[in-house]
C-alpha cells in the first residue's frame, strides 16, 4: 500500500512515496523554484536520480509533474495506487491536538492559524490544495509540527506576559519539530525498553530544538510562538532580550520586521562566526584557530546544556539524551562537547561508539544517564499517521 508524505514550502515541494506498513521508501523527490521558468524537478528511485529543469508556475503544476513522473517511471501504474497523502503543516495552534483528515473545514482552520505562521501555513495549504485537485478521491491527512507538544501544561507553555495576549491572540509557546521529536522518542522508548522513560531529545539541524519527553509525552520544548525561540541555530539567534529589537531598529534605522529578519536569517552560527550557517564550516574554522567560529560553537553548546539542566530538574530525573538531525546524527565533536557540558548528570561517553554513525548508544554501560544517536524520519512518522487515520 503506497502512501505519499509531502512537505510543501512557498516555492518548493518535497515528497516521499513509502510502501506501508513496511516503511520502505519507493521514491522521493523535490520540486524547487516553483513559480519560475527554471524550476527543477528531481526524482529519485531504485538508486537512480533524474532531474529536469522547466517552467513550473505553481504548486498545481508541480504536483501534476510529480504524479506524471511516478507513472512515466513505472513507480506506480496509476494514481489509484496512492491510497493516502500526508501533509506536513507547521502550525496547528490549539485547534489541532491530533493529526486531522483534511476537509474544507480543516483547510479553513489551518488558514485561520496563518497569523501565527505567516511563512509556513499558507505554503502548506497550497500543497494540500494542489494534491486534492490531482487526487480528489484519496484521503489527505494533515500532520502538524506542533501537535506533539500539545501535552505541555500551562506552566511550560505560557509566557509571563499579559494573559490577555494569550486569550486574544494565542501568544504562547507552541514548539515545533514535533513529528521528529515524536518519532525519535517512540524509538528511544523501544531502545530503553521503558515506556515511562524521561528523555531529552536534541534535534540539531539547521533549525534546532530540544524536547523533554516524560512517559512518551512532550512536557517542554525550546521553540516557542515561532521557531526563533530556544537555542542558537544555523541562522537563528534563539533566546534574546526583546529590547534588542528596539535598540537595533533605532541604531540601524530598520523596521522591527527587518531586525526580526536579522535574528532569523543572519544570526546563530552565521551571525556569530561571520563565516557560515553550516556546522561543518564552523568546526573546520574553529580547528583552524578562528575565535568567532569557536564562539559560535561554544555559545550553542552552553545554551543546550542550560536547557538539559533545566529539563532534568523539571522532569525530576533523566534516563537518556538523544541526538538527531543533521548535526546530531553526524557531528561527534558537537555531541561530545554537549555531553561533557552536562557530565555532572553522571554521563560517561563511549568514545569509540560516538565516532560512528547510525542508531546506537554512545555512552558506556556504567553511565548513569545514557545517550543515543537515533536518526530521525519525519516522512515515516507522517506515513504512520496517514495509516492510522485514513
Ligand atoms: P534542516 O533539516 O534543519 O535544514 P539538517 O537536519 O539537514 O537541517 O541539518 C543541517 C546541519 O547538519 C548543517 O549544519 C550541516 O553542517 C549538518 N550536517 C548535515 N549532514 C552532515 C554530515 N554528513 N556531516 C556533518 N554535518 C552534517
Amino acid at each position: 500500500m503506497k502512501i505519499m508524505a509531502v512537505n510543501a514550502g512557498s516555492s518548493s515541494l518535497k515528497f516521499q512515496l513509502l510502501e506501508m506498513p513496511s516503511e520502505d521508501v519507493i521514491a522521493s523527490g523535490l520540486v524547487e523554484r516553483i513559480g519560475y521558468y527554471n524550476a527543477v524537478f528531481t526524482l529519485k528511485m531504485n538508486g537512480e536520480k533524474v532531474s529536469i529543469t522547466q517552467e513550473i508556475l505553481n504548486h498545481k503544476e508541480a504536483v501534476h509533474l510529480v504524479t506524471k513522473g511516478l507513472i512515466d517511471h513505472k513507480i506506480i501504474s496509476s494514481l489509484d495506487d496512492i491510497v493516502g497523502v500526508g501533509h506536513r503543516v507547521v502550525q496547528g495552534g490549539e485547534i489541532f491536538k491530533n493529526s486531522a483528515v483534511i476537509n474544507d473545514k480543516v483547510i479553513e482552520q489551518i488558514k485561520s492559524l496563518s497569523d501565527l505562521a505567516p511563512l509556513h501555513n499558507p505554503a502548506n495549504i497550497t500543497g494540500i490544495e494542489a494534491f486534492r485537485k490531482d487526487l480528489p478521491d484519496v484521503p489527505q491527512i494533515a500532520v502538524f509540527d506542533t501537535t506533539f507538544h500539545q501535552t505541555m501544561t500551562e506552566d511550560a507553555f505560557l509566557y509571563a506576559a499579559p494573559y490577555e495576549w494569550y486569550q486574544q491572540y494565542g501568544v504562547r509557546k507552541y514548539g515545533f519539530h514535533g513529528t521528529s521529536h515524536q518519532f525519535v522518542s517512540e524509538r528511544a522508548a523501544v531502545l530503553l525498553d521503558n515506556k515511562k522513560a524521561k528523555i531529552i531529545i536534541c534535534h540539531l539541524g539547521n533549525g534546532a530544538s530540544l524536547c523533554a519527553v516524560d512517559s512518551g509525552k512532550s512536557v517542554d520544548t525550546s521553540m516557542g510562538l515561532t521557531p526563533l525561540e530556544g537555542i542558537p541555530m544555523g541562522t537563528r539567534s534563539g533566546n534574546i532580550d526583546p529590547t534588542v529589537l528596539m535598540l537595533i531598529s533605532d541604531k540601524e534605522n530598520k523596521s522591527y520586521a527587518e531586525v526580526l529578519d536579522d535574528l532569523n536569517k543572519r544570526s546563530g552560527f552565521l551571525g556569530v562566526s561571520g563565516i557560515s550557517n553550516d556546522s561543518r564550516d564552523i568546526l573546520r574554522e574553529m580547528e583552524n584557530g578562528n575565535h568567532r567560529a569557536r564562539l559560535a560553537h561554544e555559545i550553542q553548546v552552553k545554551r543546550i546544556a542550560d536547557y538539559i539542566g533545566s529539563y532534568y530538574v523539571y522532569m525530576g530525573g533523566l534516563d537518556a539524551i538523544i541526538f538527531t538531525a543533521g548535526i546530531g546524527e553526524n557531528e561527534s565533536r558537537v555531541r561530545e562537547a554537549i555531553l561533557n557540558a552536562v557530565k555532572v548528570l553522571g554521563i560517561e561517553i563511549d568514545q569509540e561508539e560516538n565516532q560512528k554513525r547510525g542508531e546506537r548508544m554512545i555512552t558506556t554501560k556504567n553511565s548513569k544517564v545514557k545517550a543515543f544517536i537515533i536518526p530521525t524520519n519525519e516522512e515515516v512518522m507522517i506515513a504512520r499517521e496517514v495509516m492510522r487515520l485514513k
Side-chain angles (χ1 to χ4, degrees):
M1 172 176 336
K2 294 178 177 59
I3 303 275
M4 181 89 114
V6 178
N7 185 353
S10 56
S11 64
S12 68
L13 186 93
K14 257 196 258 180
F15 68 91
Q16 260 188 24
L17 187 69
L18 295 117
E19 184 66 45
M20 295 300 279
S22 67
E23 303 185 342
D24 295 322
V25 179
I26 309 164
S28 65
L30 174 65
V31 187
E32 295 163 283
R33 304 178 62 82
I34 297 173
Y36 297 88
Y37 70 93
N38 57 349
V40 184
F41 170 40
T42 310
L43 179 63
K44 284 191 212 167
M45 72 254 129
N46 313 322
E48 200 191 324
K49 183 169 151 181
V50 286
S51 201
I52 49 168
T53 303
Q54 69 169 69
E55 182 177 82
I56 303 174
L57 288 180
N58 52 45
H59 283 72
K60 201 171 143 228
E61 287 185 19
V63 169
H64 198 65
L65 209 65
V66 167
T67 48
K68 187 173 173 301
L70 293 173
I71 293 173
D72 289 352
H73 287 90
K74 303 197 165 35
I75 297 159
I76 53 174
S77 50
S78 80
L79 291 183
D80 295 338
D81 287 0
I82 301 174
V83 299
V85 182
H87 296 268
R88 177 194 181 203
V89 179
V90 167
Q91 179 58 271
E94 288 186 335
I95 301 176
F96 296 104
K97 302 207 183 289
N98 210 327
S99 303
V101 180
I102 295 171
N103 53 31
D104 292 345
K105 182 173 169 221
V106 166
I107 290 189
E108 281 316 306
Q109 287 172 315
I110 296 172
K111 281 184 183 163
S112 77
L113 295 165
S114 291
D115 271 358
L116 296 174
L119 298 179
H120 295 106
N121 275 30
N124 301 152
I125 287 284
T126 319
I128 290 173
E129 287 179 334
F131 269 95
R132 279 184 104 200
K133 283 226 167 67
D134 242 37
L135 302 166
D137 302 322
V138 174
Q140 318 255 338
I141 313 291
V143 181
F144 301 89
D145 273 27
T146 47
T147 296
F148 184 58
H149 304 300
Q150 282 292 301
T151 44
M152 284 191 288
T153 48
E154 286 169 305
D155 59 315
F157 74 67
L158 278 177
Y159 294 120
Y163 193 72
E164 294 75 20
W165 294 1
Y166 168 58
Q167 291 174 306
Q168 292 171 19
Y169 314 120
V171 171
R172 52 159 283 181
K173 246 169 73 170
Y174 291 97
F176 298 90
H177 290 142
T179 316
S180 170
H181 287 306
Q182 184 179 356
F183 178 86
V184 171
S185 61
E186 284 178 7
R187 186 67 197 144
V190 172
L191 294 177
L192 291 163
D193 193 20
N194 178 6
K195 284 195 173 125
K196 298 209 160 135
K198 297 177 195 297
I199 60 181
I200 295 173
I201 299 156
C202 304
H203 176 114
L204 308 177
N206 197 31
S209 73
L210 267 61
C211 183
V213 178
D214 193 345
S215 308
K217 291 198 163 80
S218 168
V219 294
D220 205 352
T221 190
S222 58
M223 283 179 169
L225 176 76
T226 73
L228 181 57
E229 189 179 340
I231 58 173
M233 315 176 202
T235 62
R236 297 192 190 113
S237 62
N239 294 345
I240 197 159
D241 184 336
T243 314
V244 168
L245 267 179
M246 196 170 73
L247 189 139
I248 298 302
S249 152
D250 285 349
K251 297 277 181 203
E252 299 202 343
N253 198 20
K254 287 178 170 170
S255 68
Y256 284 176
E258 286 170 315
V259 185
L260 265 181
D261 211 48
D262 287 341
L263 294 174
N264 268 305
K265 298 190 185 143
R266 286 174 282 281
S267 298
F269 286 163
L270 177 63
V272 176
S273 71
I275 296 170
S276 166
N277 67 311
D278 192 300
S279 70
R280 287 166 284 201
D281 301 330
I282 299 297
L283 291 164
R284 189 192 60 242
E285 289 312 308
M286 176 176 111
E287 277 161 12
N288 287 340
N290 185 300
H291 177 62
R292 280 173 55 184
R294 173 169 296 281
L295 274 180
H297 164 73
E298 287 179 347
I299 295 171
Q300 192 195 48
V301 169
K302 185 212 180 281
R303 300 280 193 86
I304 292 172
D306 290 348
Y307 271 99
I308 293 175
S310 143
Y311 291 166
Y312 166 77
V313 173
Y314 188 56
M315 290 195 285
L318 182 62
D319 294 300
I321 298 172
I322 319 288
F323 294 96
T324 195
I327 299 171
E329 290 170 31
N330 296 298
E331 288 291 4
S332 58
R333 289 165 293 183
V334 174
R335 291 192 297 263
E336 185 179 345
I338 294 167
L339 292 176
N340 277 330
V342 295
K343 211 173 176 175
V344 67
L345 300 179
I347 291 175
E348 214 177 274
I349 305 176
D350 182 330
Q351 296 294 352
E352 214 169 288
E353 285 304 295
N354 186 41
Q355 293 309 317
K356 300 179 187 164
R357 290 198 178 161
E359 182 182 283
R360 67 194 57 253
M361 189 163 89
I362 55 170
T363 41
T364 63
K365 284 209 176 69
N366 295 329
S367 190
K368 217 169 106 198
V369 173
K370 309 281 188 252
F372 293 83
I373 303 171
I374 301 182
T376 192
N377 197 330
E378 289 166 282
E379 289 78 14
V380 161
M381 197 69 233
I382 290 174
R384 285 181 194 168
E385 286 295 274
V386 175
M387 290 294 283
R388 192 167 67 80
L389 292 174
K390 80 177 169 61

